[in-house]
Amino acid sequence: MAIAIEIVRLERTADELRHLACRPDDTAQARRLLAIALVLDGASRTEAARAAGMDRQSLRDWVRRCNDEGVGGLCGRARPGRPALMSQDQLAELDQMVEQAPDPQKDGIVRWRCIDLKEQIATRFGVDISERSVGRILKTRKFSRLVARPRHPKSDEAAQEALKKTSRKQ
């Protein structure tokens, strides 16, 4: 049977760690906090790791990071990756473009689709990205897929209301 891991930093109790695990948006951090709370309660490394859905070595690494950096060290860190294709200024301009409805005469469309935005990004910014990347960017920028039903520019509101009043209800 594996022995319990020693936690050096004892500024928080196991109950406080469980309470902190309810708050973060990062579910991985919550699992790590709960695993360390189990270790503080005296559970073995194997039991605590199994309960948190990780292996013993991963738990040992997280305990070491917690001992070195405290509870803040249990957060996931940004991973290095490919640099973004669009700058923050370009993304801000894209946000404005998406919030404004396209002009049917100028753009030739009544609502933005990913393929339309892809073409706009290519012409305005000179950045060639896929439709899927445009959708991912919109999702991370908190744009929803729901859009209002487009209205034809030549529609007559008064005629539509008059038709509603004279038609039978079903």
Side-chain angles (χ1 to χ4, degrees):
M1 183 172 188
I3 60 171
I5 306 169
E6 182 180 359
I7 297 180
V8 178
R9 290 191 131 168
L10 298 173
E11 58 253 5
R12 298 194 190 264
T13 65
D15 290 332
E16 290 173 342
L17 289 176
R18 286 186 184 93
H19 185 66
L20 284 174
C22 296
R23 293 185 186 166
D25 295 328
D26 186 9
T27 56
Q29 181 189 12
R31 284 188 312 112
R32 295 169 194 145
L33 286 167
L34 292 173
I36 292 184
L38 283 172
V39 171
L40 282 174
D41 284 340
S44 70
R45 187 176 5 162
T46 305
E47 293 167 354
R50 186 176 297 133
M54 61 180 81
D55 58 50
R56 292 180 316 124
Q57 184 65 35
S58 296
L59 176 61
R60 179 187 150 290
D61 294 342
W62 287 113
V63 169
R64 289 180 109 190
R65 193 188 288 186
C66 182
N67 284 337
D68 293 341
E69 302 173 26
V71 175
L74 298 177
C75 295
R77 294 182 177 160
R79 296 181 183 140
R82 194 167 103 188
L85 294 174
M86 295 177 66
S87 68
Q88 291 299 321
D89 295 335
Q90 291 171 337
L91 289 172
E93 190 175 332
L94 178 67
D95 288 349
Q96 284 182 336
M97 184 171 45
V98 171
E99 286 174 357
Q100 297 172 357
D103 183 20
Q105 283 80 26
K106 178 182 154 200
D107 298 317
I109 54 174
V110 293
R111 68 177 178 92
W112 290 120
R113 299 175 302 168
C114 288
I115 193 162
D116 303 322
L117 290 172
K118 175 188 174 208
E119 293 170 3
Q120 289 291 323
I121 290 170
T123 57
R124 286 189 186 191
F125 310 125
V127 177
D128 186 32
I129 59 175
S130 67
E131 288 178 54
R132 181 175 279 179
S133 295
V134 172
R136 185 179 38 78
I137 290 171
L138 293 175
K139 184 177 181 181
T140 58
R141 311 246 344 136
K142 306 287 190 225
F143 284 105
S144 115
R145 299 183 122 202
L146 300 176
V147 293
R149 177 177 251 174
R151 295 191 181 272
H152 193 276
K154 295 180 182 176
S155 65
D156 185 9
E157 297 280 332
Q160 289 177 4
E161 289 300 320
L163 180 65
K164 287 180 187 176
K165 290 180 183 177
T166 59
S167 62
R168 267 190 317 168
K169 293 186 180 181
Q170 296 181 11

